[in-house]
Amino acid sequence: IKYCYFCKVFKQNHSFVMKKIAVAIFAVSGLFVSCQTSVEDKAADLIKESVCKSLYQPESYESVEIQLDSAFAPYDLPEFYDAWLKIPEIYEDYTSAQDQVEAKKSILSIYSGSYLSRSNNYESAKEAYEKALQSLELETKRFQKAFKKIGTIVEKDSVFVGYKAQHKYRAKDDSGKPFFGEELFFFNKEMNQIVAKYDMKDEKFIAMKKTQDMFKDAIELMVEAEESK
């Protein structure tokens, strides 16, 4: 992980916001606990209806586990998850832009001698390097904006917003082959509507979790550096 570049991008952020983002990562990773039975029954009905709509063989649906808990802002808001789901792609583009700058800089250095600096190759390499720098600047701003949005979300007050459930199930695909699914659901306060759901086996969700784990250590280092000043 390029901690040095990460710190440069976020050096202007306040440590208390970074603390909240770090806490948010742990909150997303936490386990759920059970609520009262009546609420669980409502959740189970809503979950079954939602999952079966996406199955080729809905009659094959079998609930394996439902871990239900109360949901509180800001860490259980769908907007918090939606913001985090964008981070992996943004971070990949950002690091790719970094790599391009280093590559173009290396090529430019080859043509930086007194003789070669007057060649067309030097001018082309210089132009490519400058374009890479511009691209990196754009990706840096995009990266900062994405994390700033998360920082804004986690500053919201902690209030009850409904319920959440992590659900595991088994079913059959279109060929009749059994498979296991795992989804994360968010419900309203009345427990009569699903407000958001996420496929926990989806590549984007898995990438988000990996990115959160990666940034957790980086954020903690940044907070420690800020507090030691």
Side-chain angles (χ1 to χ4, degrees), residues 51 55 57-58 60-62 169-173 176-181:
V51 173
L55 295 178
Q57 299 188 37
S60 67
Y61 167 81
E62 182 182 353
Y169 66 93
R170 63 171 63 92
K172 293 181 180 179
D173 59 20
K177 183 179 179 181
F179 72 93
F180 285 90

Side-chain angles (χ1 to χ4, degrees), residues 84-96:
W84 260 110
L85 282 168
K86 296 176 182 178
I87 295 295
E89 180 181 349
I90 294 174
Y91 181 67
E92 183 178 354
D93 291 342
Y94 169 68
T95 54
S96 177

Side-chain angles (χ1 to χ4, degrees), residues 104-122:
K104 301 304 180 184
K105 183 179 180 180
S106 178
I107 294 174
L108 179 62
S109 65
I110 297 175
Y111 299 104
S112 295
S114 58
Y115 170 73
L116 292 176
S117 63
R118 294 191 295 272
S119 68
N120 291 331
N121 288 336
Y122 171 80

Side-chain angles (χ1 to χ4, degrees), residues 31-50:
L31 295 175
F32 303 118
V33 296
S34 295
C35 297
Q36 61 261 39
T37 304
S38 60
V39 177
E40 286 188 335
D41 290 341
K42 292 179 180 179
D45 291 340
L46 288 170
I47 288 172
K48 181 178 180 179
E49 180 182 2
S50 176

